[in-house]
Amino acid sequence: VWSLPAAPVWPRMAGARLDFGLLLEPLGFIKVLEWIFAIFAFATCGGFQGETTLLVSCQDVVNKTVTAAFAYPFRLNTVVLSAPDPNFCDGTWTDVYLEGNFSSSARFFVTLAVLVFLYCIAALVVYIGYKHVYNQNRRFPLTDLAITVITAFLWLVSTFAWAKVLADIKMSTGASIILGIESCKAPGTACYFAAVTSMGALNVSVVFGLINMILWGGNIWFVYKDTNLHNQPNRISQSP
């Protein structure tokens, strides 16, 4: 007697109840905004690439272009303004490195944005499918509140640190770099600053950091309302 194999037992989502209507409530709607603006924050900063350009004249060479390309995470001290050929200016031109290593602040900002992006996905899964479990277990709202407070503070610190570093990056890639180039001070050699890639995307990343800081700071109240810290005083006041 042949018998059919038993049907595989798939793991069930423990009590999952999908409710996309929660996305229209403040708690879920703000979380969606936090998720979106976290993407904008790390994309505008982490995806930046630029270059700074000088025009060098010496002996028989007139306005020869010398460039240095830089990008995230902005270790400018590894970026070199190199001669276009070894015999440039009769070999008197020496490679010049830009100044500053700004990778720590840039990586802090981008890493925070990526972690926030991942946390928002996990939080939205809980809000949509397990909100009843979230409400029944008081540890979940308290954990969510603690993470929200810490994240708002980290957005504050990372955004202002990144804004300060961005100003330093502009200085290290701007016209002031000519003052530190010894080859430009040689007799018969003249250097002129030509251009640097627009850093509008990096300016926008600072704006997105501020928006994220405001969103997470404002969300503290809505997360707090779901905790027993807020509900307990209400129960006491309503009891006879």
Side-chain angles (χ1 to χ4, degrees):
V1 178
W2 296 92
S3 60
L4 294 175
V9 179
W10 300 100
R12 297 180 58 188
M13 297 178 66
R17 303 172 187 172
L18 298 182
D19 184 6
F20 291 95
L22 290 171
L23 298 180
L24 301 178
E25 298 180 5
L27 192 64
F29 181 71
I30 294 178
K31 192 62 65 181
V32 172
L33 293 180
E34 291 170 347
W35 176 68
I36 293 173
F37 282 104
I39 297 175
F40 290 158
F42 69 73
T44 51
C45 179
F48 182 83
Q49 294 182 342
E51 65 178 20
T52 184
T53 306
L54 302 182
L55 297 177
V56 181
S57 299
C58 56
Q59 289 123 15
D60 298 334
V61 178
V62 178
N63 290 343
K64 191 72 173 182
T65 300
V66 177
T67 61
F70 59 94
Y72 173 85
F74 306 104
R75 293 193 187 95
L76 299 187
N77 57 346
T78 64
V79 176
V80 62
L81 281 162
S82 58
D85 61 76
N87 298 322
F88 184 60
C89 291
D90 289 336
T92 60
W93 180 272
T94 57
D95 290 345
V96 179
Y97 288 89
L98 301 183
E99 296 182 357
N101 183 352
F102 308 105
S103 60
S104 58
S105 295
R107 283 187 165 182
F108 179 29
F109 182 82
V110 171
T111 301
L112 175 63
V114 172
L115 292 177
V116 166
F117 163 77
L118 297 176
Y119 176 74
C120 287
I121 293 177
L124 287 172
V125 170
V126 173
Y127 291 168
I128 294 173
Y130 299 92
K131 194 61 167 66
H132 60 291
V133 178
Y134 178 91
N135 291 332
Q136 292 171 1
N137 191 329
R138 64 180 183 178
R139 293 182 180 179
F140 288 164
L142 289 175
T143 302
D144 195 12
L145 176 62
I147 293 176
T148 302
V149 173
I150 294 172
T151 304
F153 175 74
L154 291 178
W155 273 121
L156 171 66
V157 174
S158 65
T159 299
F160 281 93
W162 169 233
K164 171 60 172 61
V165 161
L166 178 56
D168 295 337
I169 292 173
K170 292 178 180 179
M171 288 290 296
S172 298
T173 58
S176 61
I177 62 177
I178 295 178
L179 301 177
I181 301 177
E182 294 298 327
S183 299
C184 293
K185 302 175 184 178
T189 302
C191 299
Y192 307 95
F193 180 76
V196 64
T197 302
S198 173
M199 299 187 188
L202 299 182
N203 294 331
V204 172
S205 70
V206 175
V207 175
F208 285 137
L210 294 173
I211 294 175
N212 277 293
M213 180 186 67
I214 295 172
L215 284 174
W216 283 86
N219 197 31
I220 292 175
W221 166 248
F222 296 103
V223 178
Y224 170 75
K225 287 176 63 178
D226 278 351
T227 65
N228 59 345
L229 299 177
H230 177 263
N231 297 329
Q232 189 65 28
N234 291 338
R235 295 192 188 100
I236 294 176
S237 61
Q238 294 174 3
S239 63

